Amino acid sequence: MTTSDTANTETIGEMMKPFDLRTIEKDIRNLWDQKEDASEEKKATSTRACVSNLLVYEDEEDEMSSLAESIIDVTQHHPCRVIVMSSKANALQDKLEAGVSAVCSYVPGRGKQICSEQIMVKAEGKAVARLSASVMPLFVSDLPVNLWWRGVLVDAQPFSGLLGCSDRVILDSSYSNRPTAFLSVLASLARERFKEVAFSDINWSRLTQLRSHLAGLFDVSDLLVYLKDLSKVSIEFPFSAADQDLPAPQAMLLTGWFMSRLNWGLTEDILRSKTGATILKFLRGEHEITVEMTPSNKLENQDLRLTLTMADSTGWQEARIVVNRNYAHNAIETKLETPTICWLKNVARYEMPTESELILSELEILGHDVIYENALECAAQIIEKM
Amino acid sequence: MTPEMENPLREEMRMERKAPPCAVVIFGASGDLNKRKLTPALYSLYQQHLLSNGFAMIGFTRTKMDHQAFRNLMTEATKEFAEGGIGDPAVWNSFSEKLFYVAGDPTDPSAYQELKELLSSLDREQGTACNRVFYLSTPPELYAPIVKQLGAAGISKASTPDSWVRIIIEKPFGYDLSTAIKLNSEVASVFDEEQVYRIDHYLGKETVQNILVFRFANGIFEPIWNRNFIDHVQITAAEAVGAGDRVGYYEASGALRDMIQNHLMQVFSLVAMEPPVSLDANAIRDEKQKVMMAVYPFTHDEVPRFAVRGQYGPGTSNGKPVPGFREEIKSFNAKSKGHQYNEESDAPTYAMVRLMVNNWRWAGVPFFIRSGKRMPKRVSEVAIQFKRVPHLLFKQTKADRIEPNSLVIRVQPDEGITLKFGAKMPGQAMHIREVNMDFQYGQQFGHHSPEAYERLLLDCMLGDPTLFARWDMVEKGWELLGPVLDTWSEERATFPSYDAGSWGPTEADEFIAHGAPHRRWRKP
């Protein structure tokens, strides 16, 4: 048995053993018995809690330690049974192993520990095909099953098997080698499996603060009136070697969001400029809207610059909004130019959410995130026409 | 219709509700409530990105100081009272730049001209969009003068078609029915009812809001939520502390005014109301008001059959000897050079009322509501006591000693819900033991529940009055409890009637068991 203790968390664990359901269940029972016996003080203050099953799949061995930290952060706020899976299909030996542990976190101000169970399952060789079927009996019954997928998405085991037993699949489209093209795959999966499973993309969640900021501007009725006159949206994103022929996935998702929320129809008019910008034309009634997505060498990491231009039917510019997500300055800067709004510039603090914060925000959603799924569907429609 | 409902980009479950631009003016800004609760709540909203870019807060008190001195005062207060202090200094600095100050006498018209000019300049410079929230966090005697001056200064109404002006009024809203009516008519002469937000911080508590979810989002409880299954309901708000330095306030108000007329009546109405037709603020408040209208209005002569009062004498609290209420007054008077309070005060530090709801759902089911100071511990809860099983199957196990099921909604501390039921003890014999099925917010959600004031301030800025008291309900509350207040003020009591550190007077124990010996007060 191994024990590690940090300021706010404690992990108690067993070594990996050949996979056997009865052994796993026995080890879980032993784990709690040991915890109960640990000390009278801990006995009185430890609580075993579980609100869902969280399946985590990671296929990079090097990522395991950072994943472990993220899981601790997640279970602190979302106590659940965690089943961590990894696989190595090209291994020479066929092997399926499991080990159990508990992650306990102190609840600030309450003097109590909340403990989540964790089962680690490793599959190698042909055993990879058995992975999803093997972990299914380990689910706590009557609780939702969330799959946090950190691997490459392939239409094969273990993904297809795990997909079939999950209520929600959470993944990160930026992990893909061709992240924008991947949106089409994701949209098609979401469409096909709509009745059984909900999809979440944490790359979309990274946009939440920026979108919230932008939406907040239109809560002011003085500005809301300009929204119908929106004539041009410019999105600048950092240049990336991946997907050079397509705009960045966040730019595509933002465009999909505008398209679905503002009821734009996509025209066949798609242009590529010499600078690498993609120019799309949309129609809302007879009103034309241009979206320009441009890669920029000046922007870095999670920077994103969004410019909305509102013009009346004569083309006279009535308002211009620039929202700039500046990662280095931890800021979202907003500039406004309108005839009636007095204030011109505002800087709000922006903190890039961690992976565990993003996962937690997805775990809070019950059922489908319709806004995301609509934005994804629209983004996929655009990609298909490009 | 609120702007959020029209904004197609806002409609989304994952985007937190964010306040529109506005200026919040806090009267009594140097007082305890602002320092302990309001500024920390606004700062917490700011940290969570729930305030608009166009936000500003103006403190208004008599004390002469400039904007910077006020910011310094709020910095110290937030360091001391906000849960995480000021956190990142850069974030606090950007928030504190949004704090402004006006010094003035609340009855002086010129101070309101200065306030008006500052508000206009903030509209231009901070983008507060002509939206205002006035928060009355002053002694209640200043409510009417402030309201009058706001009206006279021409800042009580929206200045543009799309802007709004709201006023939050702290409790107590009146001292009795007649003073509440008078205050309301003074407020109504300046503000329309939809502009008035009568705050009751109990309604901002997560568990109180959860009563609605618990009842109406779960199919298994509502069918048994009636006279056929429920024997009685106990609503308790107990405090371990005594009146302490607040003897003056408490001597004048007492437990009935301090807790029951406002907080606990609100909780009662949530427990007893019929399902609303929607989650619209008025749909919920209409149902709450309907159940208040159904409460049997007892007369002066009937008060002893419906209410019990008490006052603590010396006793023990937290392992230490503590003085009684009258001793606390004596000791306060001895130290005070100013006003002296009645050392033979009959102010009830414990009050209990029995409400009978005359409708199909609740006929014959008593609601016992109690509140007291210097009780064994601080706890607020709603306990639904179900009826006993109709047939005692397990006679050899002394089943008559088996407690009936109870469902307890704990409001504070350790917010959660517990269902108590009987279970067979392992072994050859048929022994039954009571066990609890427990849900605790802290354990299941891990989240920190937002402070009640955070939720309520945000609701007001968003124009959602669901969790605020509407005038008709405040009026009905005073009307129902008026006979008790009158009778208790006319008749001398034999006090003290319970020891500090106990669960209240024996009269209350006798009262609850009268005619129903199986009923007794919970000792939570």
Side-chain angles (χ1 to χ4, degrees):
Chain A
M1 178 173 151
T2 57
T3 303
S4 70
D5 225 340
T6 59
N8 291 314
T9 59
E10 182 188 13
T11 307
I12 310 159
E14 295 287 342
M15 304 304 286
M16 297 298 283
K17 296 174 184 173
F19 187 96
D20 176 65
L21 280 176
R22 290 173 73 174
T23 309
I24 294 171
E25 280 162 9
K26 195 175 142 207
D27 285 348
I28 290 174
R29 275 197 305 275
N30 287 344
L31 192 72
W32 294 114
D33 289 346
Q34 284 165 16
K35 181 100 188 104
E36 293 268 296
D37 294 341
S39 70
E40 279 305 309
E41 189 191 347
K42 283 185 177 173
K43 188 175 175 178
T45 57
S46 296
T47 304
R48 181 181 175 183
C50 187
V51 296
S52 75
N53 295 287
L54 178 62
L55 317 184
V56 189
Y57 180 82
E58 170 61 68
D59 55 8
E60 294 288 336
E61 195 72 32
D62 300 346
E63 294 290 323
M64 279 298 182
S65 62
S66 75
L67 174 63
E69 283 172 24
S70 294
I71 289 173
I72 289 171
D73 290 344
V74 169
T75 53
Q76 267 185 332
H77 298 278
H78 185 92
C80 52
R81 174 172 283 191
V82 187
I83 302 173
V84 184
M85 294 163 288
S86 70
S87 69
K88 206 182 280 178
N90 55 3
L92 295 174
Q93 239 187 336
D94 300 340
K95 200 160 69 174
L96 192 62
E97 287 183 320
V100 300
S101 58
V103 182
C104 299
S105 308
Y106 287 95
V107 182
R110 289 174 192 261
K112 277 187 178 174
Q113 275 191 323
I114 306 298
C115 299
S116 289
E117 297 159 349
Q118 187 171 309
I119 305 165
M120 176 81 201
V121 185
K122 283 183 182 172
E124 291 183 6
K126 288 179 184 166
V128 173
R130 303 197 304 271
L131 182 59
S132 59
S134 304
V135 297
M136 247 186 273
L138 296 172
F139 299 170
V140 179
S141 58
D142 293 328
L143 289 178
V145 179
N146 298 299
L147 170 62
W148 173 11
W149 183 265
R150 289 182 29 132
V152 176
L153 207 56
V154 286
D155 189 17
Q157 291 289 3
F159 181 74
S160 57
L162 293 170
L163 181 65
C165 58
S166 301
D167 298 303
R168 172 173 295 279
V169 176
I170 305 167
L171 36 77
D172 186 346
S173 60
S174 69
Y175 270 24
S176 169
N177 296 334
R178 297 203 61 214
T180 307
F182 175 74
L183 295 180
S184 283
V185 179
L186 195 51
S188 136
L189 260 179
R191 211 178 302 134
E192 284 165 20
R193 309 298 292 262
F194 183 82
K195 284 187 182 166
E196 306 102 60
V197 60
F199 283 85
S200 289
D201 180 358
I202 62 173
N203 204 24
W204 163 256
S205 315
R206 290 188 184 101
L207 287 168
T208 303
Q209 277 190 48
L210 182 128
R211 289 188 306 114
S212 175
H213 224 78
L214 182 68
L217 294 170
F218 293 101
D219 285 344
V220 184
S221 50
D222 280 4
L223 264 181
L224 186 60
V225 294
Y226 291 113
L227 199 53
K228 66 176 175 19
D229 297 326
L230 181 60
S231 56
K232 186 175 179 186
V233 177
S234 301
I235 305 169
E236 288 173 78
F237 52 88
F239 174 83
S240 160
D243 259 351
Q244 281 186 48
D245 55 330
L246 290 169
Q250 289 198 346
M252 290 302 298
L253 286 167
L254 268 179
T255 307
W257 178 56
F258 281 120
M259 184 178 160
S260 60
R261 298 313 307 150
L262 302 177
N263 294 320
W264 296 348
L266 180 62
T267 69
E268 299 292 331
D269 220 353
I270 298 173
L271 300 170
R272 290 300 298 265
S273 77
K274 285 178 187 170
T275 58
T278 304
I279 300 157
L280 309 169
K281 300 277 184 194
F282 295 88
L283 282 175
R284 198 188 68 239
E286 292 186 357
H287 184 78
E288 188 181 87
I289 306 108
T290 305
V291 175
E292 192 172 308
M293 292 178 271
T294 315
S296 167
N297 287 321
K298 291 177 187 165
L299 301 180
E300 288 176 7
N301 209 337
Q302 289 293 330
D303 290 352
L304 206 65
R305 188 196 301 271
L306 192 63
T307 307
L308 273 63
T309 308
M310 288 79 158
D312 67 11
S313 54
T314 65
W316 183 69
Q317 183 182 310
E318 291 190 303
R320 191 161 169 269
I321 295 172
V322 181
V323 183
N324 186 10
R325 187 173 73 184
N326 191 321
Y327 181 69
H329 292 163
N330 286 343
I332 295 183
E333 298 150 359
T334 313
K335 284 183 200 165
L336 272 175
E337 294 166 18
T338 84
T340 52
I341 304 290
C342 318
W343 53 291
L344 294 174
K345 191 174 175 184
N346 203 298
V347 180
R349 192 156 180 82
Y350 168 71
E351 280 149 18
M352 183 67 177
T354 61
E355 185 182 31
S356 49
E357 285 168 342
L358 293 167
I359 294 293
L360 278 168
S361 73
E362 298 307 322
L363 292 174
E364 281 176 8
I365 301 171
L366 281 176
H368 288 270
D369 178 352
V370 179
I371 304 288
Y372 161 65
E373 288 178 352
N374 288 342
L376 176 68
E377 182 58 35
C378 288
Q381 281 178 31
I382 299 167
I383 294 164
E384 278 159 25
K385 287 202 177 180
M386 288 174 79
Chain B
M1 185 178 277
T2 62
E4 290 75 29
M5 291 166 79
E6 298 165 353
N7 179 355
L9 299 180
R10 169 59 74 189
E11 191 186 327
E12 189 179 341
M13 61 178 111
R14 74 167 63 204
M15 280 193 201
E16 296 271 11
R17 302 173 324 141
K18 190 169 177 172
C22 68
V24 176
V25 183
I26 297 179
F27 291 92
S30 56
D32 247 17
L33 180 67
N34 182 40
K35 288 200 273 193
R36 285 173 183 271
K37 298 288 180 187
L38 304 181
T39 296
L42 287 168
Y43 181 48
S44 175
L45 291 172
Y46 182 77
Q47 287 174 306
Q48 296 167 65
H49 304 277
L50 297 179
L51 294 182
S52 161
N53 294 326
F55 168 81
M57 177 186 131
I58 303 172
F60 186 114
T61 69
R62 286 194 175 92
T63 317
K64 293 256 182 266
M65 64 179 132
D66 59 14
H67 298 319
Q68 192 51 49
F70 178 64
R71 287 168 189 158
N72 295 343
L73 187 69
M74 291 304 106
T75 306
E76 293 312 309
T78 307
K79 274 182 187 167
E80 188 175 350
F81 298 116
E83 197 174 285
I86 60 168
D88 183 344
V91 179
W92 171 258
N93 289 341
S94 67
F95 175 75
S96 73
E97 283 169 14
K98 295 174 183 293
L99 308 186
F100 301 86
Y101 185 75
V102 172
D105 184 324
T107 59
D108 174 14
S110 67
Y112 290 82
Q113 284 310 315
E114 194 185 330
L115 175 64
K116 188 177 180 178
E117 284 161 22
L118 178 59
L119 284 167
S120 297
S121 74
L122 293 177
D123 288 338
R124 288 189 303 275
E125 291 157 18
Q126 298 285 322
T128 47
C130 305
N131 296 326
R132 286 99 174 78
V133 173
F134 296 113
Y135 198 119
L136 305 193
S137 166
T138 62
E141 56 271 22
L142 287 174
Y143 292 172
I146 292 171
V147 166
K148 188 178 162 193
Q149 293 299 334
L150 289 171
I155 47 178
S156 61
K157 299 286 181 200
S159 56
T160 66
D162 300 317
S163 61
W164 46 261
V165 177
R166 297 176 188 134
I167 184 165
I168 301 179
I169 303 178
E170 264 292 336
K171 72 156 196 168
F173 197 87
Y175 182 75
D176 52 21
L177 181 60
S178 63
T179 53
I181 290 174
K182 183 169 179 289
L183 173 60
N184 194 60
S185 78
E186 285 162 335
V187 172
S189 68
V190 177
F191 292 94
D192 299 329
E193 174 64 20
E194 57 267 29
Q195 291 180 278
V196 183
Y197 288 66
R198 295 172 195 85
I199 198 163
D200 186 328
H201 74 269
Y202 247 60
L203 289 178
K205 290 180 183 290
E206 206 71 56
T207 335
V208 173
Q209 294 167 50
N210 193 40
I211 294 174
L212 278 181
V213 176
F214 183 77
R215 286 190 57 194
F216 304 126
N218 295 294
I220 58 170
F221 298 110
E222 202 51 24
I224 56 169
W225 208 262
N226 58 50
R227 64 189 302 275
N228 297 323
F229 297 91
I230 294 175
D231 181 77
H232 70 283
V233 178
Q234 295 183 23
I235 301 176
T236 301
E239 290 180 81
V241 295
D245 290 339
R246 296 176 74 221
V247 284
Y249 165 75
Y250 219 72
E251 208 270 318
S253 64
L256 198 68
R257 284 190 183 90
D258 187 45
M259 292 296 292
I260 295 180
Q261 185 275 334
N262 37 63
H263 304 322
L264 300 190
M265 290 297 260
Q266 290 286 343
V267 174
F268 153 75
S269 64
L270 286 168
V271 173
M273 69 189 264
E274 292 297 317
V277 291
S278 73
L279 281 180
D280 173 72
N282 274 331
I284 292 174
R285 299 197 297 181
D286 285 348
E287 292 305 332
K288 285 166 70 180
Q289 176 63 2
K290 268 164 66 181
V291 81
M292 292 288 282
M293 301 285 284
V295 174
Y296 174 75
F298 39 81
T299 61
H300 286 75
D301 297 342
E302 292 173 313
V303 166
R305 287 177 44 222
F306 285 89
V308 172
R309 59 179 159 167
Q311 189 187 82
Y312 62 86
T316 304
S317 179
N318 197 21
K320 297 188 183 95
V322 290
F325 181 63
R326 289 177 178 176
E327 286 74 27
E328 284 180 320
I329 295 179
K330 281 178 196 155
S331 129
F332 182 89
N333 285 346
K335 282 188 260 172
S336 168
K337 289 176 186 164
H339 186 77
Q340 298 285 298
Y341 294 102
N342 180 8
E343 295 181 1
E344 293 301 310
S345 169
D346 272 351
T349 59
Y350 174 98
M352 181 243 108
V353 290
R354 174 169 62 109
L355 301 182
M356 299 301 295
V357 183
N358 290 337
N359 63 16
W360 276 57
R361 184 188 285 266
W362 294 116
V365 179
F367 285 75
F368 298 103
I369 303 177
R370 64 174 166 167
S371 176
K373 282 197 173 289
R374 277 279 185 243
M375 309 208 83
K377 62 177 175 181
R378 172 178 169 259
V379 61
S380 296
E381 65 165 37
V382 177
I384 313 291
Q385 299 283 357
F386 290 93
K387 289 185 174 177
R388 285 171 182 274
V389 287
H391 172 61
L392 299 177
L393 188 62
F394 303 100
K395 283 182 180 159
Q396 72 277 30
T397 64
K398 298 177 182 169
D400 57 331
R401 289 189 191 169
I402 299 172
E403 287 292 310
N405 299 124
S406 62
L407 179 84
V408 180
I409 301 169
R410 282 188 309 280
V411 176
Q412 63 185 20
D414 294 332
E415 301 97 319
I417 296 170
T418 300
L419 179 66
K420 187 174 77 176
F421 60 95
K424 181 188 173 297
M425 286 174 72
Q428 304 303 327
M430 184 62 82
H431 289 309
I432 296 175
R433 201 177 82 182
E434 289 151 12
V435 293
N436 282 347
M437 209 151 68
D438 231 359
F439 152 68
Q440 284 200 18
Y441 260 85
Q443 287 172 11
Q444 295 294 312
F445 291 110
H447 287 232
H448 155 71
S449 295
E451 276 284 319
Y453 279 99
E454 278 177 42
R455 167 71 197 246
L456 295 170
L457 280 163
L458 184 61
D459 277 4
C460 177
M461 289 186 260
L462 286 162
D464 181 354
T466 311
L467 301 178
F468 292 83
R470 205 168 62 184
W471 164 242
D472 52 358
M473 192 167 170
V474 175
E475 184 183 31
K476 193 69 196 170
W478 282 122
E479 201 178 296
L480 285 170
L481 298 179
V484 185
L485 292 166
D486 293 344
T487 306
W488 286 357
S489 70
E490 287 158 11
E491 293 173 10
R492 288 285 298 171
T494 313
F495 282 163
S497 58
Y498 68 98
D499 294 342
S502 71
W503 281 106
T506 49
E507 291 95 308
D509 297 335
E510 289 158 12
F511 183 97
I512 195 169
H514 183 73
H518 63 281
R519 288 180 190 150
R520 57 176 178 267
W521 286 111
R522 285 173 44 79
K523 295 181 171 59

